[in-house]
């Protein structure tokens, strides 16, 4: 039984007989590093696009939390993805966004129009965090961008 | 004798169950579902009737049927059951082993398969031995023992050709041809491969072996790419996708093979699309051999398309799988991906340099990877330079250039001695000749530069690019040539880097154009003198953008000067472009678009504003600048702008338009489906041009019109695929008119108007060869293409195009007509490509 095997392995790990495999702890540390303390999480909302002469290949996602709306649009280049976004209303002077993939974080200023851009990210999991001075950070849930 | 005397043939002696089993075995290939049921019934009956021979045959039938249905695990299970049956004739058991050879190979254990084959050999009749040979060949090929594999096939085919011709004999004959064809393909002998596969296809079609016919057909896309026919490859691919529907493992294997060819043709984006479809299906069907190879290719793709982190993970997984299959000759290839990923992710250390050199040595020892070894050695030398280890760098460069120097030494005729070189020396020489030209020349240039001999470095790069140009000349298809030219890309970048370091504008222009001419001769066949361009420009100006590593530069040519400007970080420019495109696409508030456009203008035009004043403009983009809707930039509003792949390309487009003696241009227009305003737009376009005609919005009539008309106007949906620009297209009633459909047309209308979203988008795998619809039309002889760069509203497109054609009919050239129409309607989403400054009416 596969469950018994897992159980036994867990017991052996717990009793200290077996060391935790290094890639397991590395993965755990990686995941832990992605956590942002006290962040408010913005939930995914449906968004639509106007009628145009295209089957638009770009991905549009919208997140809403704490009165802020994040519109993200992801386009593909040769293998890499570009993220353009808009936060409304404008979160104010000194606000920054982090556009994050599991292994790469790009920090960008937000223009007065609320727009921001990050280019050259690998496709895969993606999340955006907005840092405002004096407020808790707001992070979007992780979305998977498939190439 | 007695049997014959009794009037019975030998087969009549057989147990009726055995006879039934023989029939079922034959069905396994033609109708696996039915054979599976029959096999089960026979096995059960044989067990009840204690007939081990039929039992073995029934189980083997089930195994063969399972394999045809793509379930290798079950196939092996049935074969193992059959081997466990006691009292079966040795020949039957050996036949089971024969089938097991195939399955073990396909499941990733070629070495074991060869052992199984050795066990079977003694008990097989000559014909079955031939059949076994066709299967051994596959295992041998997987182990990289290609010569033995071919010999095994040759031997088998000789026996099988003269075989009585039962369906099983035909199957092995066709299968043997298939295998030999594939091995020929592995060894790069495309003609022999094509010959064998065509023969296989004919025999299997004639014998009704549809599976084998499909397999042969499924290899055609791969072979077509290898023979330099990308358009044909995608056509074969579509056919094969249809014929293999319902056979996920086969379909996946086909995609993986096709991906390998695309990768070798330097089209990693397209290859990645195929591999990401193939890998999960190969995993699901437990086809371990194909899976490990596909994963290695995927790792290479991830690295080439800019995700070293993922590349490293995938390569490590592939290495583990290959090692588990004893395929040691493949391991250095996986290690190369890991090391190159580390080179992209980590700072260079002396340890990393040492590992790179060690891996290059291993690849070199593997013979088949000599070209890859040389490229890696060059990377190692550059890495050594990065840590200031000049002795190591020089030693590695010397290994790459030794042969070149040897060849250059002059020797009077008749004095050359017969080579008395020892075998290791001869081997070294043979390997040196396998060093790819761009790598060798790059090494020579680096060596010269290390000795501060700039002239020598330029010469080495120039000679190298000339040879690359000669090598890729064989490809007629512009896209394939562009991709093949990628092999010379790093060498060209090095030449440009040297020119930029020198800082002479004319030299930078010359090097930028030199590379563009190698990449896309359809656009630009020969180098042009900057003074010739200036003369042709008249009052206008041309800006050629150039990327030197992460910096964007521009060369401006106008009637009174040639100047070079350093514009700033490429990353910053890319961000600005993405922001502008986002604002336009989302139809944000006007203010947002203007802010984004002003920012981009500040980066790419402002430093040349004084020289540019209000001149008409020809833009030669680089990289992401191929996606800019130039008309949106404030200072370019109402200004005629043409976008060209290169200065020479612009000149060629200018001369492409054969003027029509006296008459009005022939105008053809068509509308695509599911748009409310396309029909009205077409009516208006035709009203502007008396004598114009409408054709149905289907692929055939539109392609026909393209060959006869002077102006072709299409109002339809458009799509752009950044990863596979060749499948970008215009949606017509009966499907997509894709860029690759255009590769076969003999001529193009002089002016092509694509009133569709994103139809003007391109991706340039190498500078000078933008792939996408405009580039394809221009390569086919169009002088000018007008197309949308962003999503454009249906009604808005009609408004712009109505004004555009009114102005065109009034005698304005396309670039001016478009600039004016865009300003009037306030829709900057269309761009004019090629040479747009000649009036059509």
């Amino acid at each position: 039984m596969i469950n018994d095997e897992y159980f036994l392995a867990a017991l052996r790990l717990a009793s200290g007989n077996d060391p935790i495999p290094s890639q397991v702890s590395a993965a755990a540390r990686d995941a832990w590093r992605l956590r942002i303390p006290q962040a408010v999480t913005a939930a995914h909302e449906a968004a639509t696009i106007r009628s145009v002469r295209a089957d638009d290949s770009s991905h549009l996602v919208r997140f809403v939390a704490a009165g802020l709306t994040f519109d993200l649009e992801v386009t593909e280049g040769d293998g890499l993805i570009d993220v353009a976004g808009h936060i409304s209303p404008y979160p104010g002077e000194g606000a920054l966004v982090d556009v994050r993939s599991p292994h790469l974080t790009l920090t960008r200023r937000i223009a007065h129009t609320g727009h921001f851009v990050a280019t050259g990210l690998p496709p895969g999991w993606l999340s955006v965090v907005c840092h405002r001075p004096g407020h808790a950070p707001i992070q979007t849930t992780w979305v998977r961008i498939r190439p | 004798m007695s049997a014959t005397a009794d009037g019975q043939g030998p087969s009549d002696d057989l147990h009726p169950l055995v006879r039934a089993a023989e029939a079922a075995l034959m069905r396994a290939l033609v109708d696996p579902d039915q054979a599976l049921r029959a096999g089960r019934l026979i096995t059960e009956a044989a067990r009840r009737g204690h007939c081990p021979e039929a039992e073995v045959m029934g189980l083997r039938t089930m195994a063969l049927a399972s394999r045809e249905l793509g379930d290798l695990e079950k196939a092996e299970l049935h074969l193992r059951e059959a081997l466990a049956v006691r009292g079966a004739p040795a020949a039957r058991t050996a036949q089971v082993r024969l089938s097991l050879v195939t399955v073990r190979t396909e499941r990733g254990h070629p070495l074991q398969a060869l052992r199984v084959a050795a066990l079977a050999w003694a008990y097989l009749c000559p014909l079955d031995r031939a059949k076994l040979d066709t299967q051994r060949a596959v295992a041998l090929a997987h182990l990289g023992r290609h010569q033995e594999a071919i010999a095994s096939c040759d031997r088998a085919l000789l026996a099988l050709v003269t075989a009585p011709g039962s369906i099983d004999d035909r199957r092995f004959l066709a299968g043997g041809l298939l295998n030999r064809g594939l091995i020929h393909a592995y060894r790069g002998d495309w003609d022999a491969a094509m010959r064998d596969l065509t023969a296989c296809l004919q025999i299997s079609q004639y014998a009704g072996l549809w599976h084998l016919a499909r397999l042969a057909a499924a290899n055609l896309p791969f072979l077509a790419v290898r023979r330099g026919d990308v358009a044909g490859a995608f056509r074969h691919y579509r056919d094969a996708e249809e014929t293999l529907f319902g056979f996920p493992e086969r379909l996946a294997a086909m995609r993986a093979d096709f991906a390998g060819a695309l990768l070798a043709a330097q089209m990693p984006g397209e290859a990645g699309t195929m591999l990401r479809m193939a890998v999960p299906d190969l995993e699901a069907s437990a086809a371990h051999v194909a899976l490990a190879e596909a994963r290695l290719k995927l790792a290479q793709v991830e690295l080439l398309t800019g995700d070293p982190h993922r590349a490293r993970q995938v390569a490590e997984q592939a290495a583990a799988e290959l090692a588990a299959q004893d395929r040691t000759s493949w391991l250095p290839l996986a290690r190369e991906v890991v090391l190159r990923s580390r080179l992209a992710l980590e700072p260079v250390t002396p340890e990393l340099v040492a590992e790179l050199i060690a891996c290059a040595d291993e690849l070199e020892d593997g013979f088949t990877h000599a070209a890859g070894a040389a490229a890696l050695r060059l990377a190692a030398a550059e890495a050594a330079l990065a840590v200031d280890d000049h002795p190591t760098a020089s030693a590695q460069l010397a290994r790459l250039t030794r042969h070149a120097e040897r060849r250059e030494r002059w020797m009077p005729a008749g004095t050359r001695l017969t080579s008395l070189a020892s075998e290791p020396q001869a081997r070294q020489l043979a390997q040196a000749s396998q060093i790819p030209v761009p790598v060798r020349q790059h090494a020579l240039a680096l060596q010269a530069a290390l000795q501060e001999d700039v002239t020598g470095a330029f010469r080495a790069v120039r000679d190298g690019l000339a040879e690359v140009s000669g090598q890729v000349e064989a490809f007629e298809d512009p896209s394939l040539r562009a991709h093949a030219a990628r092999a010379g890309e790093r060498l060209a970048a090095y030449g440009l880097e040297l020119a930029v370091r020198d800082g002479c504008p004319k030299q930078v222009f010359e090097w930028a154009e030199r590379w563009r001419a190698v990449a896309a001769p359809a656009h630009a066949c020969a180098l042009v003198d900057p003074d010739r361009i200036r003369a042709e420009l008249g009052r206008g100006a041309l800006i050629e953008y150039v990327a030197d590593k992460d910096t964007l530069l521009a060369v401006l040519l106008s009637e009174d000067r040639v100047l070079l400007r350093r514009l700033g970080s490429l990353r910053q420019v890319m961000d600005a472009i993405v922001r502008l495109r986002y604002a336009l696409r989302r139809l944000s508030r006007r203010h947002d678009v203007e802010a984004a456009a002003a920012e981009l203008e500040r980066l790419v035009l402002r430093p040349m504003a004084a020289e540019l004043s209000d001149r008409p403009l020809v833009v030669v983009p680089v990289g992401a600048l191929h996606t800019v809707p130039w008309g949106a930039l404030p200072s370019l509003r109402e200004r005629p702008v043409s976008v060209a792949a290169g200065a020479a390309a612009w000149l060629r487009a200018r001369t492409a338009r054969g003027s029509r003696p006296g008459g009005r241009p022939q105008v053809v227009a068509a509308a695509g489906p599911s748009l409310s305003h396309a029909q009205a737009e077409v009516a208006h376009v035709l009203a502007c041009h008396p004598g114009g005609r409408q054709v149905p919005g289907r692929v055939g009539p539109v392609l026909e019109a393209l060959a006869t008309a002077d102006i072709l106007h299409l109002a339809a949906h458009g799509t752009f695929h950044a990863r596979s620009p060749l499948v970008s297209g215009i949606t017509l009633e009966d499907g997509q008119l894709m860029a690759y459909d255009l590769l076969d047309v003999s001529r193009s209308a002089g002016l092509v108007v694509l009133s569709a979203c994103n139809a003007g988008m391109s991706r340039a795998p190498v500078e000078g060869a933008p792939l996408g619809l405009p580039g394809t039309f221009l390569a086919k002889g169009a002088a000018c293409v007008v197309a949308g760069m962003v999503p454009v509203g249906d009604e808005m497109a009609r408004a712009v195009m109505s004004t555009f054609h009114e102005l065109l009919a009034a005698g304005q050239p396309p670039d001016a007509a478009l600039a004016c129409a865009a300003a009037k309607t306030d829709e900057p989403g269309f761009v004019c490509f090629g040479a747009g400054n000649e009036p059509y009416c």
Side-chain angles (χ1 to χ4, degrees):
Chain A
M1 279 297 282
I2 192 86
N3 284 338
D4 289 343
E5 283 169 27
Y6 276 126
F7 181 59
L8 285 175
L11 281 180
R12 289 176 65 86
L13 283 174
S15 63
N17 274 345
D18 287 356
I20 292 173
S22 62
Q23 68 268 35
V24 172
S25 25
R29 273 196 300 277
D30 282 349
W32 182 254
R33 259 198 291 276
L34 293 173
R35 192 191 62 103
I36 298 168
Q38 286 110 41
V40 180
T41 301
H44 193 194
E45 272 198 6
T48 51
I49 174 167
R50 71 205 162 99
S51 122
V52 289
R53 286 190 182 181
D55 316 315
D56 201 342
S57 60
S58 56
H59 311 257
L60 177 69
V61 272
R62 170 170 289 180
F63 299 91
V64 180
L68 287 190
T69 302
F70 293 66
D71 276 328
L72 302 184
E73 190 185 70
V74 182
T75 44
E76 299 164 22
D78 185 4
L80 297 179
I81 57 172
D82 299 330
V83 181
H86 183 222
I87 299 180
S88 55
Y90 174 56
E93 208 55 51
L96 294 172
V97 282
D98 285 344
V99 181
R100 308 193 300 161
S101 80
H103 303 287
L104 189 66
T105 297
L106 299 176
T107 304
R108 293 288 183 264
R109 280 189 310 113
I110 304 170
H112 283 286
T113 51
H115 289 261
F116 62 91
V117 163
T119 51
L121 285 141
W125 291 99
L126 184 84
S127 162
V128 171
V129 188
C130 175
H131 300 277
R132 296 175 294 171
H135 294 273
I138 301 176
Q139 63 178 350
T140 70
T141 49
W142 288 85
V143 281
R144 179 138 193 212
I145 306 299
R146 286 174 195 282
Chain B
M1 283 301 268
S2 66
T4 332
D6 291 344
Q8 287 179 324
S11 64
D12 292 335
D13 275 343
L14 292 175
H15 194 288
L17 264 179
V18 173
R19 225 174 310 153
E22 212 147 57
L25 260 172
M26 300 298 159
R27 298 296 297 168
L29 313 168
V30 190
D31 185 351
D33 283 310
Q34 192 217 11
L36 196 62
R37 286 193 296 275
R40 189 169 296 127
L41 287 175
I42 289 165
T43 310
E44 282 161 9
R47 277 177 189 156
R48 281 196 303 273
H50 302 291
C51 175
E53 182 172 7
E55 187 182 347
V56 166
M57 292 171 75
L59 285 164
R60 182 165 171 240
T61 305
M62 290 167 72
L64 291 185
S66 300
R67 180 179 164 248
E68 287 303 321
L69 294 168
D71 190 344
L72 292 174
E73 211 174 318
K74 202 155 272 167
E76 179 161 355
L77 207 72
H78 292 311
L79 292 172
R80 299 250 176 236
E81 261 182 278
L83 287 179
V85 173
R86 275 200 227 159
R92 292 295 183 203
T93 313
Q95 283 173 340
V96 171
R97 292 213 163 91
L98 193 164
S99 304
L100 189 58
V101 170
T102 317
V103 174
R104 281 315 275 166
T105 308
E106 280 173 9
R107 293 197 71 196
H109 303 280
L111 214 53
Q112 284 182 17
L114 289 180
R115 279 184 215 128
V116 174
L119 284 177
W121 182 262
Y123 303 98
L124 291 173
C125 67
L127 193 58
D128 278 343
R129 282 183 185 174
K131 293 175 183 175
L132 181 68
D133 265 336
T134 64
Q135 302 310 302
R136 280 183 69 238
V138 182
L140 287 167
H142 278 307
L143 290 166
R145 291 154 64 177
H146 294 131
Q147 224 135 11
E148 290 167 74
I150 296 246
S152 185
C153 276
D154 287 347
R155 202 163 54 220
L157 291 171
L158 217 57
L160 284 164
V161 166
T162 52
S166 77
I167 188 146
D168 197 51
D169 299 344
R170 296 285 112 183
R171 173 176 87 107
F172 276 98
L173 176 59
L177 283 165
L178 179 75
N179 293 345
R180 191 173 65 181
L182 292 181
I183 299 162
H184 279 311
Y186 263 114
R187 305 181 76 206
D189 189 346
W190 313 122
D191 291 331
M194 209 71 182
R195 214 164 39 233
D196 279 349
L197 286 185
T198 316
C200 165
L201 188 64
Q202 280 168 351
I203 293 169
S204 46
Q205 270 172 345
Y206 183 74
L209 294 163
W210 300 117
H211 280 67
L212 276 174
R214 282 188 198 117
L215 271 182
N219 280 289
L220 293 177
F222 160 83
L223 275 180
V225 180
R226 282 308 175 99
R227 301 180 95 209
D229 175 14
V230 171
F234 278 97
R235 238 188 341 266
H236 288 311
Y237 169 71
R238 271 196 297 198
D239 292 346
E241 209 175 29
E242 219 159 274
T243 39
L244 294 177
F245 183 77
F247 299 87
E249 188 219 329
R250 299 277 160 91
L251 184 59
M254 184 272 285
R255 285 183 173 139
D257 286 345
F258 187 28
L262 289 168
L263 193 57
Q266 319 264 355
M267 301 165 84
E270 284 81 351
T273 309
M274 294 294 152
L275 289 169
R276 286 186 193 96
M277 286 194 271
V279 165
D281 284 343
L282 291 173
E283 268 170 355
S285 52
H288 297 299
V289 164
L291 177 63
E293 285 170 36
R295 217 188 290 282
L296 176 60
K297 284 178 213 151
L298 186 59
Q300 291 166 334
V301 163
E302 299 283 10
L303 185 63
L304 288 170
T305 52
D307 190 350
H309 205 282
R310 184 107 194 87
R312 183 177 177 173
Q313 281 176 343
V314 178
E316 278 167 353
Q317 202 178 346
E321 286 167 355
L322 289 164
Q325 294 168 19
D326 306 319
R327 297 164 75 189
T328 44
S329 71
W330 290 72
L331 290 176
L333 289 171
R335 198 163 316 129
E336 177 183 357
V337 179
V338 173
L339 289 174
R340 283 185 182 271
S341 306
R342 283 177 53 196
L343 210 47
L345 292 167
E346 303 165 5
V348 183
T349 60
E351 291 73 38
L352 186 54
V353 173
E355 283 188 72
L356 284 164
I357 293 171
C359 185
D361 289 345
E362 271 181 84
L363 281 170
E364 205 172 274
D365 288 341
F367 275 118
T368 39
H369 313 307
L376 189 63
R377 199 175 296 289
L378 181 65
E382 285 175 318
L385 286 177
V387 290
D388 281 326
D389 183 356
H390 286 228
T392 304
S394 297
Q396 295 302 313
L397 291 174
R399 287 187 66 173
L400 294 170
T401 58
R402 201 176 336 178
H403 190 60
E405 284 158 9
R406 197 181 299 259
R407 201 182 53 174
E408 275 163 15
R409 197 175 300 144
W410 181 78
M411 243 191 235
T415 60
R416 198 164 306 170
L417 293 169
T418 320
S419 168
L420 292 174
S422 64
E423 204 194 320
Q425 265 175 320
R427 195 176 131 179
Q428 217 168 41
L429 275 179
Q431 278 172 352
S433 67
Q434 283 175 300
I435 292 172
V437 172
V439 173
R440 186 193 66 209
Q441 294 301 115
H442 199 149
L444 282 170
L446 275 173
Q447 269 180 330
L450 276 177
Q451 288 154 16
E452 299 191 359
D453 172 12
V454 179
T455 324
F458 271 132
R459 190 176 51 234
V461 179
R462 198 162 41 231
D463 291 352
L465 289 184
E467 279 201 54
V468 171
S469 176
Q471 280 177 357
V472 293
E473 220 146 58
F475 299 111
E476 278 169 29
D477 170 347
S479 65
L480 193 70
R481 186 177 161 124
H483 283 97
R486 266 188 161 180
E489 197 171 26
R490 297 193 57 239
L491 182 61
Y494 186 61
L496 193 62
E497 188 189 321
L498 288 173
V500 169
R501 226 186 278 167
D502 257 23
C504 162
K506 277 193 179 174
Q507 203 161 40
V508 173
F509 175 80
E510 186 203 313
W511 277 93
E513 281 290 304
R514 183 188 298 281
W515 173 238
R516 286 172 157 101
V518 173
H523 293 291
C525 32
L527 272 183
V528 287
D529 187 68
D531 297 334
R532 163 101 197 275
I533 300 282
R534 285 162 61 199
E536 292 276 340
L537 280 167
R539 216 184 67 74
L542 180 144
I543 299 181
E544 181 145 345
Y545 289 98
V546 177
D548 177 33
K549 296 214 177 83
D550 301 328
T551 311
L552 183 69
L553 296 94
V555 182
L556 181 129
L557 269 62
S558 66
E559 51 191 341
D560 36 44
R561 71 188 76 205
V562 181
L563 57 88
L564 174 67
R565 286 275 187 275
R566 187 172 285 272
L567 301 178
S569 132
L570 208 52
R571 172 69 57 186
Q572 213 181 349
V573 173
M574 267 176 77
D575 283 3
I577 294 170
V578 171
R579 182 170 306 155
L580 172 61
R581 290 186 51 81
Y582 175 85
L584 283 168
R585 237 190 331 249
R586 291 287 145 245
L587 203 66
S588 316
R589 283 164 302 149
R590 198 188 168 75
H591 171 71
D592 294 343
V593 176
E594 279 170 7
E599 168 67 5
L600 183 60
E601 176 165 302
R602 186 182 69 77
L603 293 168
V604 301
L605 287 181
R606 184 77 54 78
M608 293 162 287
E611 294 81 6
L612 210 53
S613 75
D614 65 341
R615 297 170 192 276
L617 185 60
V618 179
V619 176
V620 177
V622 70
L625 289 160
H626 283 288
T627 65
V628 174
W630 293 93
L633 304 192
S635 71
L636 299 186
R637 204 178 148 89
E638 287 188 67
R639 186 198 304 237
V641 178
S642 296
V643 177
W650 174 74
L651 208 57
R652 199 209 55 91
R654 256 173 84 77
T655 49
R657 198 173 86 83
S659 55
R660 205 173 187 75
R664 273 196 302 257
Q666 248 196 56
V667 180
V668 174
S674 39
L675 284 170
S676 323
H677 296 275
Q679 204 55 51
E681 179 177 319
V682 165
H684 191 98
V685 168
L686 295 175
C688 290
H689 304 281
R693 62 192 172 95
Q694 180 168 6
V695 296
R698 290 197 303 273
V699 176
V702 167
L703 283 176
E704 260 168 54
L706 189 66
T708 55
D710 297 309
I711 300 178
L712 176 69
H713 182 100
L714 298 178
H717 275 297
T719 39
F720 173 68
H721 296 278
R723 285 175 159 265
S724 314
L726 283 173
V727 303
S728 301
I730 303 288
T731 308
L732 296 175
E733 278 160 24
D734 56 346
Q736 288 263 309
L737 171 67
M738 297 192 194
Y740 76 75
D741 290 326
L742 298 170
L743 297 181
D744 288 337
V745 303
S746 54
R747 126 187 226 284
S748 164
L751 172 62
V752 178
V753 184
L754 305 174
S755 178
C757 300
N758 298 327
M761 291 284 283
S762 298
R763 182 171 70 77
V766 290
E767 247 8 278
L771 296 184
L773 287 168
T776 316
F777 280 111
L778 290 169
K780 284 295 163 186
C784 178
V785 177
V786 172
M789 292 298 276
V790 284
V792 183
D794 185 17
E795 195 172 359
M796 188 53 99
R798 189 188 72 176
V800 179
M801 286 305 155
S802 301
T803 314
F804 171 74
H805 277 280
E806 281 164 19
L807 294 167
L808 200 66
Q812 291 243 30
D815 58 358
L818 182 65
C820 189
K824 264 193 185 158
T825 51
D826 205 14
E827 171 53 72
F830 290 93
V831 163
C832 173
F833 298 90
N837 56 351
E838 297 278 334
Y840 276 74
C841 302

